[in-house]
Amino acid sequence: MAEAFTNATQLLQPFKGVKKVTIEEYFTSGHRTCQGCESALVMKLMVKAAGPRTIVLGATGCMYVANTTYYTTPWVVPWMHTQLGSSGSAALGTAAGLKALMKKGRMKAEPINVIAFCGDGGGADMGLGAISATLTHREYNSLILLYDNESYANTDIQLSGSTPYGANTTFSPPGSVKRIIHSRWKKNTAGMLAAGHPECRYVATVDASYAVEMMNKVRKALSIGGPTFIHSLDPCPKGWDYDPMLSHELGELAVETGIFPLYEVEDGVVRHYGKSKAIAEGRPRKPVREYLLKQGRFAHFTEEDLEYFQAKVDEMWMKWEIPGVIPFWKEKREVTPAP
Ligand SMILES: Cc1ncc(C[n+]2csc(CCOP(=O)(O)OP(=O)(O)O)c2C)c(N)n1
Ligand code: SF4
Ligand SMILES: [Mg+2]
């Protein structure tokens, strides 16, 4: 049976517009996420894009806990929980296990999608080493999707390495003596993983406000083979403190202000997408205040804080070696502020 073994992937063609998206759902009712939870939408779109021959592995966090409460679950495909920092290990182990079973003839040789998801706490912080290791193994096909709600949300909104500068979290409440408790800039997780993993053929950023683009990036990641990585920015009404009806709008504003660039790195080639492409080509960005001031977690910001945030985002687009993707610059360049 060894001859029957194949390392092929499913060839998932992109959806050509919203009307061509398949109607079958593999993440259905039965979850208990908050109203307006964008991460739940990301799960739904992710597995819709992948289709039924898929195994989903979920690290601890909201998308594990709220999706498997008291023997209920919205998952229609096979699903397994893994430890908070082990999305990478689960992806690699499952892909290797499937390969071994198929090679030995213990199961039918066919391409099965392996997707492991993690939150920003689990992926950008605790499980970064395991993700990095997985991205070095070209012989195993898997996708790791990091859903970034910018906090350890499930345990009541503690700050992570992905929390934006200045945000109010349970670990960084603004005080009367010190207003900005969290004074570190957010990690550049996708850029870091793309730049440092030559065996990984595909890294992308997504935002569920641009749903078809998001699903097509998932399909590309699963089709291309080897280990791949996607970073999704997910508005979280509870942690970001806004009316749930604003989730979609905030997802758009994160891109339109240039705070969250949409791009992919495929075999070393960087492509900006949609509004991020226009911004990279010189189109003006919306001021960051339009995004920040819609969220209670930035309600304590003064003009000075807004200016600092704006200057850092300006730097991403005006100074970085590859705008919005790879930092570092060779020489001093003037920064043109947003209008
Ligand atoms: C090793 C370990 N430390 C701490 C916890 C407690 N814990 C469970 S979920 C969670 C938050 C995870 O945050 P993130 O990965 O960002 O996912 P989110 O809850 O935001 O969806 C924490 C700290 C745990 N389960 N395991
Ligand atoms: S806390 Fe945020 S990420 Fe968690 S279920 Fe609620 S909206 Fe979703
Ligand atoms: Mg989180």
Side-chain angles (χ1 to χ4, degrees), residues 173-181:
S176 52
V177 176
K178 196 167 179 202
R179 192 178 65 258
I180 301 291
I181 304 291

Side-chain angles (χ1 to χ4, degrees), residues 111-193:
I112 294 178
N113 300 318
V114 174
I115 306 179
F117 67 73
C118 52
D120 47 304
D125 289 349
M126 295 171 70
L128 193 57
I131 293 174
S132 174
T134 302
L135 297 186
T136 66
H137 286 274
R138 199 170 195 159
E139 67 277 30
Y140 299 116
N141 303 327
S142 68
L143 163 64
I144 297 169
L145 186 143
L146 188 158
Y147 69 92
D148 183 3
N149 51 25
E150 300 191 320
S151 78
Y152 290 78
N154 182 61
T155 39
D156 205 19
I157 324 296
Q158 291 84 32
L159 73 83
S160 76
S162 221
T163 301
Y165 170 88
N168 182 351
T169 69
T170 48
F171 276 7
S172 55
S176 52
V177 176
K178 196 167 179 202
R179 192 178 65 258
I180 301 291
I181 304 291
H182 174 47
S183 57
R184 303 186 291 277
W185 197 249
K186 178 180 168 118
K187 276 188 194 177
N188 177 18
T189 305
M192 157 180 39
L193 292 174

Side-chain angles (χ1 to χ4, degrees), residues 32-40 62-63 66 147 149 153-154 157 235-239:
R32 297 175 188 214
T33 64
C34 309
Q35 187 182 28
C37 173
E38 202 77 347
S39 296
C62 280
M63 289 306 106
Y147 69 92
N149 51 25
N154 182 61
I157 324 296
C236 161
K238 182 182 168 199

Side-chain angles (χ1 to χ4, degrees), residues 76 167 210 275:
V76 175
Y210 305 91
K275 288 183 178 151

